Amino acid sequence: MRKGLRRDQRGFTLLELLVVIAILGLLIGLVAPAALRQLGSARTSVAKQSIERIASILDMYKLDVGSYPTSDQGLRALVERPTDVTNWNGPYVKGEVPVDPWNHPYVYRQPPSRAGHEFDLCSEGPSGTGGDQEICNQ
């Protein structure tokens, strides 16, 4: 011990600091990938819930207007009245047309391309290209 320094005034050695940094690096390396996977699955869950919510809004639109918006009208018909539509009681959605959790526009098709559905409402997933990442209404 140096003269004139009390025991509680000593600092950490370089070796002690390096050991702490190495331990923190290992912990971050183990925890970060798991946290990122959880974030990805959370966005997928939000996309599924949003699609179901928008589908119920489209059902309300159909009750008022008598049919679902066409593909040309798209989801914009929930925000602004289409020119050729009567009995529109909107806006059905406040603000702008909703986007998916990855900030891509939802894909809306009416008539649908999938059998057994009245319309297609899909998120093209994280990449925005669809394919096996596509999430659609049930």
Side-chain angles (χ1 to χ4, degrees):
M1 202 159 63
R2 292 186 204 156
K3 282 189 166 187
L5 289 179
R6 292 188 320 219
R7 175 168 222 173
D8 60 343
Q9 290 180 326
R10 291 189 332 186
F12 293 106
T13 66
L14 180 59
L15 182 62
E16 291 170 330
L17 290 174
L18 289 174
V19 168
V20 169
I21 291 171
I23 291 171
L24 288 174
L26 285 172
L27 286 173
I28 290 171
L30 294 173
V31 173
L36 291 175
R37 277 193 301 276
Q38 288 297 324
L39 178 61
S41 70
R43 285 186 177 184
T44 301
S45 177
V46 167
K48 289 177 183 176
Q49 292 172 3
S50 295
I51 287 170
E52 293 305 315
R53 181 181 52 84
I54 295 168
S56 65
I57 294 170
L58 286 164
D59 290 338
M60 289 183 351
Y61 178 95
K62 182 183 178 185
L63 284 173
D64 291 343
V65 175
S67 64
Y68 290 107
T70 64
S71 291
D72 291 336
Q73 294 167 335
L75 296 178
R76 191 95 201 129
L78 301 176
V79 178
E80 294 176 358
R81 179 187 196 130
T83 55
D84 56 344
V85 170
T86 57
N87 297 330
W88 189 82
N89 291 321
Y92 297 89
V93 176
K94 291 182 182 179
E96 292 297 314
V97 175
V99 293
D100 71 11
W102 299 277
N103 210 27
H104 302 123
Y106 286 102
V107 176
Y108 174 76
R109 291 182 293 270
Q110 189 355 305
S113 61
R114 300 177 302 142
H117 293 87
E118 297 183 277
F119 57 86
D120 289 336
L121 180 60
C122 302
S123 166
E124 294 186 322
S127 66
T129 59
D132 62 342
Q133 297 179 344
E134 190 172 65
I135 303 165
C136 294
N137 60 314
Q138 300 297 320

